[in-house]
Amino acid sequence: MSTGGSLSADPDDRSGVFASSSPGDANQLPTVRNTFRLIKHEGQNDVVRYGEKVKINTIPKFEQDLFLSSERLVPGFASPLTKNQMVVFSPYSSFNNVWEIMCADSMRRYETSGMPVLVGERFVLKHCFTNTLLAAMPNMYPNEFGKEHEICCHTFKNQGKNGPISQEFSGKTGPTILAPSCVDNNVFMFQN
């Protein structure tokens, strides 16, 4: 995650449970807010694999089961800071809660499909209903837990080969190979 933090649930009495990223810390311990279980959308195997569709569920310490959820971007329903597609924790089980785990390196997505996702490996989460990636934004907002980063759905794209080619044309040195098309704002990993 580009923010160096961990995905967490931000319960707000006024407007529901938002998804946020608590600031990273080497000594950060698991809490009810940042510990989740994965429920497979299809299949019963315990191993989480690339290309599988999952639901991200809070642990049963909240009053009800909450699923990481998002809906299409519509006027009046957007993330508070960046106005991107909002991500919340919802008590309703629907296809809005389904996410696909994909390899962060787009050049390796086909070959890693079906392989287990290991702890510490970089991956992206694609919202199946809208085909946008989960993103950790650099913007911070205050809440009762301190300052946290906003989580929303937004697919960041780097310049691909156009960036290095245009830099080379203007006389600057830069990478000579294609960079992976995934930007760190969209990258996540599992931790123990």
Side-chain angles (χ1 to χ4, degrees):
M1 182 179 284
S2 71
T3 62
S6 58
L7 180 68
S8 57
D10 177 14
D12 186 347
D13 295 335
R14 299 177 312 276
S15 51
V17 182
F18 291 104
S20 64
S21 167
S22 56
D25 186 344
N27 300 324
Q28 187 175 16
L29 295 174
T31 64
V32 174
R33 294 183 57 231
N34 67 7
T35 304
F36 304 97
R37 56 188 171 156
L38 297 180
I39 299 172
K40 292 202 177 181
H41 181 63
E42 301 164 340
Q44 301 298 322
N45 190 345
D46 286 341
V47 178
V48 178
R49 299 179 184 279
Y50 287 110
E52 286 187 331
K53 293 176 175 53
V54 296
K55 293 182 178 186
I56 299 172
N57 192 348
T58 56
I59 59 174
K61 295 287 183 190
F62 282 92
E63 295 175 3
Q64 55 191 345
D65 278 350
L66 299 172
F67 299 96
L68 188 67
S69 178
S70 186
E71 292 187 18
R72 286 184 309 229
L73 183 60
V74 295
F77 188 73
S79 59
L81 297 177
T82 58
K83 305 303 181 208
N84 290 321
Q85 184 177 320
M86 185 183 284
V87 176
V88 296
F89 282 91
S90 168
Y92 308 110
S93 182
S94 70
F95 198 66
N96 288 338
N97 308 341
V98 180
W99 303 85
E100 183 178 356
I101 299 177
M102 300 186 309
C103 182
D105 184 356
S106 60
M107 304 295 259
R108 295 185 52 225
R109 283 197 186 139
Y110 182 74
E111 69 186 55
T112 57
S113 182
M115 293 178 65
V117 180
L118 302 176
V119 171
E121 270 188 343
R122 297 164 42 97
F123 63 85
V124 295
L125 288 169
K126 181 179 80 171
H127 188 240
C128 292
F129 186 69
T130 59
N131 277 341
T132 54
L133 299 181
L134 189 66
M137 304 303 284
N139 308 30
M140 294 187 85
Y141 67 94
N143 63 14
E144 60 270 15
F145 303 104
K147 288 190 174 235
E148 295 193 324
H149 296 275
E150 182 180 55
I151 298 288
C152 63
C153 275
H154 181 73
T155 303
F156 285 91
K157 299 194 189 288
N158 67 5
Q159 296 177 338
K161 67 181 176 182
N162 294 337
I165 289 173
S166 65
Q167 287 181 352
E168 186 178 332
F169 182 75
S170 66
K172 297 178 184 171
T173 59
T176 57
I177 60 171
L178 285 176
S181 64
C182 201
V183 177
D184 279 345
N185 293 64
N186 293 124
V187 176
F188 295 85
M189 65 178 64
F190 292 125
Q191 294 179 344
N192 272 348

